[in-house]
Amino acid sequence: MDFFEAQDQAKRKTGKLIFFYLLAVIGIILSIYVVTVFLYRWQLAGFSDTSWINPAWFIVVSAIVLLTITTGTLYRVAQLRKGGSSVAQLLGGRQVESSTKDADERRLMNIVEEMSIASGLPVPEVYILDKEENINAFAAGFGTNDAAVGVTRGALEQLTRDELQGVIAHEFSHIFNGDMRLNIRLIGILNGILVIHIMGMLLMRSVMYSRGGRTRSSSNGKGSGNITIVILVMGLSLIIIGYIGMIFGRMIQSAISRQREYLADAAAVQYTRNPDGLAGALTKIGLKSKGAEINDGHAMEMSHLFFASSFHSALDKLYSTHPPIEKRIKAIKPSMNPEDLRRQEKMKQKFQEQHVSGKKGEPSTGGFAGHAALSPEVILGAIGVLDGNHVENAGNLLNEISDDLKKAAHEPLEAEALMFALLFATSHQKLPDWFNENVDQTISETTKQLLAELSEAPREWFLPLAEISLPILRQLSKEQYQSFRSVLESIIKKSDQENLFAFAIEKLLLRQLDTAFSSRKEPEIRHHHFKTLGHEMSVMLSALSYLSDEDPESAWKAGLKPIENLLPPDASLLSKEECTIEKLDQALDELAASSNPVKKYILRAIIHCIYSDKILSLEEKELTRAISEALDCPIPMGAFG
């Protein structure tokens, strides 16, 4: 299964979740209807005078229950509308500053940044649950743009670097597979059902208070006694129905979650190439009876988000959201017992079928750029995949970047100046007068200093520096961001020549930040085939063709080959004036509204186009990286060799 199939599978799982949710709601409606009719016949009308079937009353009960559950669900989802950061804060998390000097926190940030650069995903916000002494971690969010990764204080202090890396790799797998959006919806659903249980408790409590009042006033008639019994039975029924609904919801939660945990473990081992790291973390959890338990009051409803079970009860075997620790360890580090080896082989096969993979079994069609095994299929297979080599290379790259530049990427004011300096450095510009007039003097001076350092730095550092600046730039105020964005756009527009790196920055950086500072929504899918995308594909492939060292016509034909039977006949190689960066930007906005199968073919055409001359320039890599980000299918820079 590749990245696109994994994303579609996550959407199908959402459909199944909605189906089971509707079954649970129907069950609750029928149960409450039966209870209310029974109480009416028993206490008010007499069993012989009324029928069990009353369509009008069924509609009333249905409306009240649906309104109650929907309100509870929407309330919780709205509470978590900011994505991963909302979940982390609800659990009592503290955001880790990018510039932290604490050794443990710095180690955690380094691991997260390595994983992000290696995978092509935006660097997520990082949180620590300071009050939680047990070992656990989570990933949460609606998508990659608002993702957050959190670890407990116990995980931070008790795990080695290899063990912590294994845990973070496990959480990144959930981000890749689109599990996070499903997980947040599960939280909303469970809260909606929980409201029924809470209403029952409120009814019971109101009766207790009212009985106390009547005792003091010595007024107790038969009619009020009947009403009290009705309310008591109704309250008790709602508590039981709500609790059964919660159990059913937890069963849905566990059914969806358990298998994903096995797959995430297998992915973490693939990413880090170190089964001992993940197994070590699981072993430390297993040494305690409740080694991953979370004390926060939201532990139960959010148990499926965590690395290991955060909540335990007598019914763990029925609806635990995670497989037993022992089985997880055996799955990634089996003994030499033949039965265990067969189990591992079966798990590997299932992992290849159900997890995002690079399709290593596919034959290479010829290498390029000095890499014999590198081919369009290999690059396409790298989308949404963390490879052990990529992680190692990302770590080495971060170590090579000078401390001054990394420090700038982790400080709010300096991060702004760093982005400006990166754009000026790629266009080989000095700081123009208009820039000094439009920014604060401190930012101007810092930009000048960083520009001098970047002029001596390898170009390969530039994009990673922009990527690791994301978390600190998200912490700007809305006014600060608008000012920063305005200056950034001015630098791009006032450049003497079209700057492909500037375009990449705009797509990679501003797209992520716009999500954080505005209510920008994902584009609605409008294109399920190429018949309506002839012009947009012509613009994009033409722009890439002119970057080729071969003649543009050859590059165009190479890009056209994978989709020649899909494009409309009017698609053609355009002139340079017809495929400027501005026109490419407009085309990408439309291409982003395509379905996953269409996006897969779009990226295949792109890769074949830049592959045509067997040489990948840095500009081609950066432009392809930016296009893939705009399509929500990030290709890591490491995939290009």
Side-chain angles (χ1 to χ4, degrees):
M1 176 185 295
D2 62 17
F3 172 82
F4 307 94
E5 291 164 345
Q7 294 293 311
D8 285 337
Q9 186 186 69
K11 291 178 181 178
R12 287 194 296 273
K13 282 184 178 291
T14 300
K16 288 182 181 179
L17 173 64
I18 292 171
F19 173 73
F20 286 123
Y21 177 45
L22 289 175
L23 284 182
V25 171
I26 290 169
I28 290 171
I29 290 172
L30 289 173
S31 300
I32 293 176
Y33 170 77
V34 169
V35 169
T36 53
V37 171
F38 171 79
L39 289 174
Y40 180 75
R41 297 182 72 198
W42 174 39
Q43 286 291 328
L44 301 175
F47 285 105
S48 59
D49 297 336
T50 57
S51 169
W52 283 97
I53 300 173
N54 188 330
W57 181 242
F58 180 77
I59 292 172
V60 171
V61 170
S62 299
I64 294 172
V65 172
L66 286 172
L67 180 63
T68 302
I69 293 178
T70 302
T71 301
T73 298
L74 293 178
Y75 170 77
R76 179 62 93 210
V77 172
Q79 203 175 22
L80 304 176
R81 66 186 179 279
K82 290 184 179 179
S85 60
S86 301
V87 174
Q89 289 162 14
L90 200 63
L91 288 165
R94 168 181 61 85
Q95 187 171 359
V96 180
E97 297 289 339
S98 299
S99 56
T100 179
K101 299 296 189 294
D102 181 89
D104 287 335
E105 293 178 6
R106 186 69 258 153
R107 179 185 62 168
L108 173 63
M109 288 300 300
N110 286 342
I111 291 171
V112 172
E113 287 175 353
E114 283 174 15
M115 292 281 178
S116 296
I117 291 173
S119 64
L121 293 177
V123 180
E125 294 182 354
V126 181
Y127 286 82
I128 295 174
L129 307 184
D130 286 310
K131 296 180 181 179
E132 305 294 345
E133 297 299 326
N134 289 322
I135 298 171
N136 222 326
F138 67 89
F142 286 102
T144 58
N145 295 339
D146 60 12
V149 172
V151 301
T152 60
R153 171 60 58 183
L156 195 65
E157 294 178 349
Q158 297 173 41
L159 298 181
T160 66
R161 191 187 196 282
D162 285 349
E163 290 166 350
L164 188 59
Q165 186 185 50
V167 171
I168 297 300
H170 173 104
E171 298 307 328
F172 262 73
S173 171
H174 288 307
I175 298 175
F176 280 136
N177 289 330
D179 295 336
M180 297 188 305
R181 184 187 296 271
L182 181 65
N183 287 339
I184 284 191
R185 285 173 175 164
L186 270 171
I187 293 171
I189 285 169
L190 289 173
N191 191 72
I193 295 174
L194 180 64
V195 171
I196 300 295
H197 180 80
I198 293 171
M199 285 181 65
M201 294 182 69
L202 290 174
L203 280 176
M204 295 284 284
R205 189 172 296 178
S206 68
V207 169
M208 298 304 294
Y209 281 125
S210 64
R211 280 176 63 86
R214 282 198 299 273
T215 300
R216 286 190 295 271
S217 62
S218 300
S219 61
N220 188 18
K222 184 178 178 182
S224 63
N226 286 347
I227 293 173
T228 299
I229 292 172
V230 168
I231 295 174
L232 274 172
V233 174
M234 189 67 207
L236 182 62
S237 299
L238 288 177
I239 289 173
I240 294 170
I241 291 168
Y243 188 74
I244 293 173
M246 281 293 294
I247 291 176
F248 189 75
R250 289 273 291 166
M251 289 173 69
I252 297 171
Q253 189 183 41
S254 64
I256 290 173
S257 179
R258 280 186 190 178
Q259 192 59 38
R260 307 306 294 172
E261 294 304 319
Y262 277 127
L263 296 173
D265 284 346
V269 172
Q270 182 199 38
Y271 299 164
T272 61
R273 296 183 300 180
N274 181 12
D276 291 335
L278 186 64
L282 289 168
T283 300
K284 286 181 178 178
I285 291 173
L287 289 174
K288 300 178 183 179
S289 59
K290 297 180 180 179
E293 190 169 277
I294 298 295
N295 296 318
D296 188 87
H298 300 95
M300 185 186 78
E301 65 173 321
M302 297 190 182
S303 179
H304 59 294
L305 296 179
F306 282 92
F307 172 69
S309 291
S310 63
F311 176 83
H312 296 277
S313 73
L315 297 176
D316 266 1
K317 288 186 178 180
L318 178 64
Y319 58 62
S320 174
T321 53
H322 293 69
I325 293 291
E326 299 78 14
K327 288 187 176 181
R328 291 175 68 181
I329 294 172
K330 269 195 170 185
I332 57 177
K333 280 201 72 179
S335 65
M336 294 305 292
N337 185 301
E339 185 179 340
D340 288 339
L341 291 174
R342 281 195 295 270
R343 187 185 295 112
Q344 185 193 39
E345 193 59 36
K346 186 177 180 181
M347 199 63 222
K348 278 184 179 178
Q349 184 179 355
K350 197 169 187 67
F351 171 71
Q352 292 295 332
E353 291 172 356
Q354 295 194 18
H355 189 73
V356 175
S357 70
K359 299 193 175 182
K360 294 181 181 178
E362 291 186 5
S364 173
T365 58
F368 66 105
H371 297 269
L374 204 56
S375 69
E377 288 73 23
V378 171
I379 296 173
L380 191 67
I383 298 173
V385 174
L386 253 176
D387 179 83
N389 288 325
H390 296 168
V391 175
E392 185 178 345
N393 292 339
N396 293 336
L397 179 62
L398 284 175
N399 289 332
E400 290 171 6
I401 296 175
S402 71
D403 290 338
D404 287 341
L405 291 175
K406 280 191 287 192
K407 178 178 175 293
H410 293 143
E411 297 285 352
L413 185 145
E414 291 185 52
E416 290 185 62
L418 178 61
M419 293 304 102
F420 301 148
L422 285 169
L423 290 179
F424 286 126
T426 52
S427 57
H428 307 290
Q429 287 181 263
K430 294 181 179 180
L431 295 189
D433 292 337
W434 70 262
F435 175 78
N436 295 321
E437 293 167 1
N438 282 274
V439 298
D440 182 86
Q441 184 179 353
T442 307
I443 290 182
S444 176
E445 291 173 356
T446 306
T447 303
K448 187 176 181 179
Q449 293 169 4
L450 292 170
L451 182 57
E453 185 161 357
L454 286 169
S455 64
E456 304 294 328
R459 174 67 183 276
E460 286 75 12
W461 292 3
F462 286 20
L463 213 54
L465 278 169
E467 291 178 312
I468 65 175
S469 300
L470 261 176
I472 199 67
L473 290 172
R474 288 194 192 106
Q475 295 179 28
L476 297 173
S477 68
K478 199 165 186 177
E479 293 73 21
Q480 287 173 326
Y481 174 64
Q482 291 302 330
S483 175
F484 165 73
R485 196 185 198 287
S486 175
V487 174
L488 206 68
E489 288 182 327
S490 295
I491 296 173
I492 295 171
K493 289 177 182 177
K494 292 177 185 288
S495 177
D496 294 334
Q497 56 185 3
E498 289 196 331
N499 188 333
L500 291 177
F501 179 78
F503 178 75
I505 286 291
E506 189 174 16
K507 285 298 165 193
L508 292 170
L509 194 70
L510 295 185
R511 183 175 175 277
Q512 302 295 336
L513 293 174
D514 282 349
T515 301
F517 289 99
S518 68
S519 56
R520 186 181 73 85
K521 296 181 180 179
E522 293 182 7
E524 183 181 345
I525 295 177
R526 297 188 294 274
H527 306 291
H528 297 274
H529 48 71
F530 281 92
K531 292 179 181 178
T532 55
L533 293 172
H535 175 70
E536 287 76 14
M537 288 300 296
S538 295
V539 170
M540 186 182 63
L541 289 180
S542 297
L544 288 167
S545 296
Y546 287 112
L547 289 176
S548 174
D549 284 348
E550 285 193 357
D551 64 290
E553 187 71 34
S554 298
W556 165 264
K557 288 179 180 177
L560 201 63
K561 190 173 182 180
I563 56 172
E564 58 186 342
N565 295 325
L566 304 173
L567 278 180
D570 60 339
S572 60
L573 177 64
L574 306 176
S575 66
K576 282 189 176 182
E577 292 72 26
E578 294 175 293
C579 55
T580 60
I581 283 181
E582 183 180 356
K583 288 184 168 58
L584 176 60
D585 195 20
Q586 294 169 358
L588 276 176
D589 287 341
E590 198 60 36
L591 292 171
S594 302
S595 64
N596 274 337
V598 173
K599 286 180 180 178
K600 184 175 181 177
Y601 277 101
I602 291 172
L603 287 171
R604 180 168 284 154
I606 291 170
I607 295 166
H608 276 269
C609 182
I610 63 172
Y611 168 77
S612 63
D613 58 3
K614 305 293 191 294
I615 297 172
L616 281 180
S617 66
L618 189 57
E619 288 78 11
E620 286 175 321
K621 292 179 184 179
E622 289 175 346
L623 184 57
T624 304
R625 171 82 176 86
I627 290 172
S628 71
E629 177 66 33
L631 296 177
D632 265 333
C633 310
I635 301 177
M637 286 294 284
F640 298 110

